[in-house]
Amino acid sequence: MDGKAARPARPRWERRAYETEFGRIVAFSDGVFAIGITLLVLNLEVPDVPDADLAQALWQDWPHLFAYALSFAVVGRFWLVHHSFFSTLTGFDATLMTSNLVYLGLIVLVPFSSDVLGEYGNTAVAVVIYAGTLGAAGLLNWLMIRYALRSDLIITERLPDTQPFGQASALIIPGVFVLSIPVAILVSPLVAELVWFGAFAAVRGVRRRGRP
Amino acid sequence: MDGKAARPARPRWERRAYETEFGRIVAFSDGVFAIGITLLVLNLEVPDVPDADLAQALWQDWPHLFAYALSFAVVGRFWLVHHSFFSTLTGFDATLMTSNLVYLGLIVLVPFSSDVLGEYGNTAVAVVIYAGTLGAAGLLNWLMIRYALRSDLIITERLPDTQPFGQASALIIPGVFVLSIPVAILVSPLVAELVWFGAFAAVRGVRRRGRP
Amino acid sequence: MDGKAARPARPRWERRAYETEFGRIVAFSDGVFAIGITLLVLNLEVPDVPDADLAQALWQDWPHLFAYALSFAVVGRFWLVHHSFFSTLTGFDATLMTSNLVYLGLIVLVPFSSDVLGEYGNTAVAVVIYAGTLGAAGLLNWLMIRYALRSDLIITERLPDTQPFGQASALIIPGVFVLSIPVAILVSPLVAELVWFGAFAAVRGVRRRGRP
Amino acid sequence: MDGKAARPARPRWERRAYETEFGRIVAFSDGVFAIGITLLVLNLEVPDVPDADLAQALWQDWPHLFAYALSFAVVGRFWLVHHSFFSTLTGFDATLMTSNLVYLGLIVLVPFSSDVLGEYGNTAVAVVIYAGTLGAAGLLNWLMIRYALRSDLIITERLPDTQPFGQASALIIPGVFVLSIPVAILVSPLVAELVWFGAFAAVRGVRRRGRP
């Protein structure tokens, strides 16, 4: 609580007293991230063609490679933010643990969404699924950070590191994904995919103010 | 032994003296949980249809998405209980380690059982396999906790955290899964699946009395 | 070197000074074990049959379930021995690290060998591949333990824990697998598979004298 | 900065103060390595042939087994170098973390490249993909080590351990892979594959001067 006003007692567990338990949550999360990001490679299928056609067959598979690179970058960034956020936690409670599980459930969906995008990249449906998964993950992440800030779960001297991720401006990243959904439906899937690159620029801006 | 009566000497290893070994058991268990939960996404198959039929094809695949969400939630809860239980252990012995391995063997089966459920959700056989896997895992978990409580393997001051998970009332969760087996056979698979949601409510009740 | 005669200086790294590095080797090994054991579930395929034939189709798949249970038990035991062995190491050198990598390379092969066994369990070839993988892994494990004992890499007071795993009697486990190879070829695959259960009884005997 | 000249302030995080964060980067990297190396086994497919043809069918699959062994060895070596390099870091910054993520993205590609090689080993395209993935990974690894050395991110007393990996002579390993690309195109894929074994001999030479 670090010298702040008392709150009605909800069960919470201080990191200091539950170091092993805290470590397990982090290790489990890291495991899910590592496996999720690695399963992305299973979307790259080796074509079954005559030797002479291999180069062309692989070349035609570029949407899968593009989806792989994009998803790896996005999940990698999510991991960096998760990593940074959890490093500033002074404790955790049941709400945060359950939210984290749901969040990881969305991260694990990324290899599927990414495969749909690689297979059907020129359809609005695929773009909606992909942007929906990542937008929801980003939004939940933002809500988790807000919740931790409001519940005094952040180490006081690390507040400047985590606060930028909980501000309205940090919503720009999931916002771009959510925004791209109507764009994909009303304009074109390709335009929506171009919008995503705006998200990366935004991430870069926010991250610059944050910590590792 | 924390001031209790002496027992006939079975080899056991105190957490304090074998911190690294204890950490490895936990890390291995976490790894299996993380991989098992992540492999669930492989059950979501990208359909092979013309672009225009994608939305409909994905929509018809909702049983797989339902099985994914259900299994993720259940394995997530199992992990939370495992996490909580192991955090209160003061040591371990060969029985506990072997039981833990068998338990993990059941957890690893979940992606398979879940795939059967997603593929054949309206058959009693699929419901029996799914409920059998989770019922057996829940029962073994309960027996492990009972064994640890009876063998003085729980840190004394953490007893109030773990005791609720070893009481007869905690049997309600695996009990619901076991009970759903005759329901699936005699009544209908759909009714059995509805019974499972009772299990979640029960988990919630038990968890409220436990710790992280 | 724990009070023993000096040896010609080969570069080695004491666990105390390289605790993080030692932890990474152990964590990497645990990761490979956890993933290898979890990938076993991918060998269990959901049949593609009419609803009414599901029970029969799953029942006919029992060799895969048998292979899953056997391989999970065997890899689990390998992990227990690896766990026990590494917990008694006082340091490591390049030979031990390279051997450990090759050993893990054999462990990672188990899901493949297990799949061959599940698919072609009544052929001598499948039995030879399975017994060969596990026999080679067991033999290499034994050689690693012998090497560590001879190179003073075991903590002195933990020597009684590790020495049993390095004695000739511990060779009985890989020995049974190796022995089963000619049995499979000359007698029958089924008899060879029955021989393996002798291996489990042997493991049990050796483990009783060892530590966690 | 260990007594060296001051540099313009780029945000960096000392290992001492951010031990948990540093541990997570290492754990995440280890997880990706462990999963990437384990996924290699999925490239070994169980043939679907009559029992009598199993031995021959497996034998004809030797290119996949060769690709498995080669890739396991190469990824294993990459892990050893990564392990050694990170153990000498005194801190990290955003550049190093991003580079590490990109590097892991290349490592995760290895199971795909390896599968292409196993399937189309006698084509120049497959050799180019495989050598390209590993050459790029090796080159990036070398650049990361150079960057860490130039940015005073290495523990002073561990400099002799890491410097050999950052010298021009260490470029020989990725260099051999890059060199094998024109060889595969202009001469023959087989000759290019033979060139790779030169890379292993080179690795051995460099590693001898390095630390664990």
Side-chain angles (χ1 to χ4, degrees):
Chain A
M1 304 272 177
D2 296 299
K4 298 210 176 156
R7 288 172 154 274
R10 293 187 50 178
R12 48 180 284 173
W13 303 280
E14 295 302 320
R15 188 179 185 163
R16 230 161 322 193
Y18 292 84
E19 189 65 51
T20 310
E21 289 68 51
F22 192 84
R24 273 194 80 178
I25 300 168
V26 166
F28 181 74
S29 303
D30 281 351
V32 170
F33 268 109
I35 302 155
I37 215 168
T38 313
L39 288 184
L40 290 170
V41 77
L42 298 184
N43 294 339
L44 300 176
E45 272 167 59
V46 178
D48 186 14
V49 293
D51 282 6
D53 301 343
L54 178 61
Q56 209 196 334
L58 287 169
W59 180 250
Q60 282 172 348
D61 203 35
W62 70 263
H64 271 116
L65 202 64
F66 165 79
Y68 169 77
L70 180 68
S71 301
F72 199 98
V74 173
V75 176
R77 291 246 179 240
F78 272 120
W79 177 75
L80 285 174
V81 173
H82 191 270
H83 172 82
S84 169
F85 168 42
F86 268 67
S87 79
T88 66
L89 282 177
T90 185
F92 55 95
D93 63 10
T95 304
L96 202 60
M97 283 201 69
T98 306
S99 308
N100 191 44
L101 268 183
V102 176
Y103 172 73
L104 293 176
L106 288 164
I107 294 295
V108 169
L109 274 180
V110 174
F112 170 71
S113 303
S114 180
D115 203 9
V116 172
L117 187 73
E119 205 78 59
Y120 298 95
N122 49 344
T123 69
V125 176
V127 170
V128 168
I129 287 172
Y130 193 77
T133 309
L134 292 173
L139 195 65
L140 182 52
N141 191 29
W142 185 78
L143 288 170
M144 277 165 63
I145 293 171
R146 296 279 287 189
Y147 174 81
L149 285 165
R150 276 207 324 272
S151 309
D152 304 321
L153 286 166
I154 306 293
I155 300 166
T156 309
E157 57 265 39
R158 296 293 300 281
L159 277 172
D161 296 343
T162 295
Q163 270 160 349
F165 293 110
Q167 284 166 351
S169 66
L171 260 184
I172 198 166
I173 313 143
V176 166
F177 278 115
V178 172
L179 182 82
S180 76
I181 291 177
V183 171
I185 296 169
L186 302 176
V187 189
S188 106
L190 184 66
V191 174
E193 288 165 34
L194 291 173
V195 165
W196 295 341
F197 291 96
F200 278 104
V203 171
R204 201 163 269 276
V206 171
R207 219 164 61 85
R208 198 144 288 164
R209 272 173 285 161
R211 280 279 176 119
Chain B
M1 303 272 179
D2 297 300
K4 299 210 177 157
R7 289 171 153 276
R10 294 187 50 180
R12 50 180 283 173
W13 304 280
E14 295 304 319
R15 188 177 184 164
R16 228 162 322 195
Y18 292 84
E19 190 65 50
T20 309
E21 288 69 51
F22 192 82
R24 273 194 78 176
I25 300 168
V26 166
F28 181 75
S29 302
D30 281 350
V32 170
F33 268 108
I35 302 156
I37 216 168
T38 313
L39 288 183
L40 289 170
V41 77
L42 298 184
N43 294 339
L44 300 176
E45 272 167 59
V46 177
D48 186 14
V49 294
D51 281 6
D53 301 343
L54 179 60
Q56 209 198 333
L58 287 169
W59 180 250
Q60 283 173 348
D61 203 36
W62 69 263
H64 271 117
L65 202 65
F66 165 78
Y68 169 77
L70 179 69
S71 300
F72 199 98
V74 172
V75 176
R77 291 247 180 238
F78 272 120
W79 178 75
L80 284 174
V81 173
H82 191 270
H83 173 81
S84 168
F85 168 43
F86 267 67
S87 79
T88 66
L89 281 178
T90 184
F92 55 96
D93 62 10
T95 305
L96 202 60
M97 283 201 68
T98 306
S99 308
N100 191 44
L101 267 184
V102 175
Y103 172 73
L104 293 176
L106 288 164
I107 293 295
V108 170
L109 273 180
V110 174
F112 170 72
S113 303
S114 181
D115 203 8
V116 172
L117 187 73
E119 205 79 59
Y120 299 94
N122 49 345
T123 69
V125 175
V127 171
V128 168
I129 287 172
Y130 193 77
T133 308
L134 292 173
L139 194 64
L140 182 51
N141 191 28
W142 185 79
L143 288 170
M144 278 165 64
I145 293 171
R146 297 278 287 190
Y147 174 80
L149 285 165
R150 275 206 325 273
S151 309
D152 304 321
L153 287 166
I154 306 293
I155 300 166
T156 309
E157 57 264 42
R158 295 294 299 281
L159 277 171
D161 296 344
T162 294
Q163 269 159 348
F165 293 110
Q167 283 166 351
S169 66
L171 259 184
I172 199 167
I173 312 142
V176 166
F177 279 114
V178 171
L179 182 81
S180 76
I181 292 178
V183 171
I185 296 170
L186 302 175
V187 188
S188 105
L190 184 66
V191 173
E193 288 165 34
L194 291 172
V195 166
W196 295 341
F197 291 96
F200 278 104
V203 171
R204 201 162 270 275
V206 170
R207 221 165 58 88
R208 199 145 286 163
R209 270 172 288 162
R211 281 281 178 116
Chain C
M1 301 269 179
D2 298 300
K4 299 211 175 155
R7 287 170 154 277
R10 293 188 50 178
R12 49 179 283 173
W13 303 280
E14 294 303 320
R15 188 178 185 163
R16 229 161 323 194
Y18 291 84
E19 190 65 50
T20 309
E21 288 69 52
F22 192 83
R24 274 194 78 176
I25 301 168
V26 165
F28 181 75
S29 302
D30 282 350
V32 169
F33 267 108
I35 301 155
I37 214 168
T38 313
L39 288 183
L40 289 170
V41 78
L42 298 184
N43 294 339
L44 300 176
E45 273 167 59
V46 178
D48 187 13
V49 293
D51 281 5
D53 301 343
L54 179 61
Q56 209 196 335
L58 287 169
W59 180 251
Q60 282 172 350
D61 203 37
W62 69 264
H64 271 118
L65 202 65
F66 165 78
Y68 169 76
L70 179 68
S71 300
F72 198 99
V74 172
V75 176
R77 292 247 179 239
F78 272 120
W79 177 75
L80 285 173
V81 173
H82 192 270
H83 172 82
S84 169
F85 167 43
F86 268 67
S87 78
T88 66
L89 282 178
T90 184
F92 55 95
D93 62 10
T95 304
L96 202 60
M97 284 201 68
T98 306
S99 308
N100 191 43
L101 268 183
V102 175
Y103 172 72
L104 293 176
L106 288 164
I107 293 296
V108 169
L109 273 180
V110 174
F112 171 72
S113 303
S114 180
D115 203 8
V116 172
L117 187 74
E119 205 77 61
Y120 298 94
N122 50 345
T123 69
V125 175
V127 170
V128 168
I129 287 172
Y130 193 78
T133 308
L134 292 173
L139 194 64
L140 182 52
N141 191 28
W142 185 78
L143 288 170
M144 277 164 64
I145 293 171
R146 298 278 287 189
Y147 174 80
L149 285 165
R150 275 208 323 273
S151 308
D152 304 320
L153 287 167
I154 306 293
I155 300 166
T156 309
E157 57 265 40
R158 296 294 301 282
L159 277 172
D161 296 343
T162 294
Q163 269 160 348
F165 293 110
Q167 283 167 351
S169 65
L171 259 183
I172 198 168
I173 312 143
V176 166
F177 279 115
V178 172
L179 182 82
S180 75
I181 292 177
V183 171
I185 296 170
L186 301 175
V187 188
S188 107
L190 183 67
V191 173
E193 287 165 36
L194 291 173
V195 165
W196 295 341
F197 291 97
F200 278 104
V203 171
R204 201 162 270 275
V206 171
R207 222 166 57 88
R208 198 144 289 163
R209 270 173 288 162
R211 281 279 176 117
Chain D
M1 303 268 177
D2 298 300
K4 299 209 176 155
R7 290 171 153 276
R10 295 188 49 178
R12 49 179 284 170
W13 303 279
E14 295 303 319
R15 188 179 186 161
R16 230 162 321 194
Y18 293 84
E19 190 65 49
T20 309
E21 290 68 52
F22 192 83
R24 272 194 80 177
I25 300 168
V26 166
F28 181 74
S29 302
D30 282 351
V32 170
F33 268 109
I35 302 156
I37 214 168
T38 313
L39 288 183
L40 289 170
V41 77
L42 298 184
N43 294 339
L44 300 176
E45 273 166 60
V46 177
D48 186 14
V49 293
D51 281 7
D53 301 343
L54 179 60
Q56 209 196 335
L58 286 169
W59 180 251
Q60 282 172 349
D61 203 36
W62 70 263
H64 271 117
L65 202 65
F66 165 79
Y68 169 77
L70 179 68
S71 301
F72 198 98
V74 172
V75 176
R77 291 245 180 241
F78 272 119
W79 178 75
L80 285 173
V81 173
H82 191 269
H83 172 82
S84 168
F85 167 43
F86 267 67
S87 78
T88 65
L89 281 178
T90 185
F92 55 95
D93 63 10
T95 304
L96 202 60
M97 283 201 68
T98 306
S99 308
N100 191 42
L101 268 183
V102 175
Y103 172 73
L104 293 176
L106 288 165
I107 293 295
V108 169
L109 274 180
V110 174
F112 171 71
S113 303
S114 181
D115 203 9
V116 173
L117 187 73
E119 205 78 58
Y120 299 94
N122 49 344
T123 69
V125 175
V127 170
V128 168
I129 286 172
Y130 192 78
T133 309
L134 292 172
L139 193 64
L140 183 51
N141 191 30
W142 185 79
L143 288 169
M144 278 165 63
I145 293 171
R146 297 278 287 188
Y147 174 80
L149 286 165
R150 275 207 325 272
S151 309
D152 304 319
L153 287 166
I154 305 294
I155 300 167
T156 309
E157 57 265 39
R158 295 293 301 280
L159 277 172
D161 296 344
T162 294
Q163 270 160 347
F165 293 110
Q167 284 167 350
S169 66
L171 260 183
I172 198 167
I173 313 143
V176 166
F177 279 114
V178 172
L179 181 81
S180 76
I181 292 178
V183 171
I185 297 169
L186 301 175
V187 189
S188 106
L190 184 66
V191 173
E193 288 165 34
L194 291 173
V195 164
W196 295 340
F197 291 97
F200 278 105
V203 172
R204 201 163 268 275
V206 171
R207 220 166 59 88
R208 197 144 288 164
R209 271 173 286 160
R211 280 280 176 119

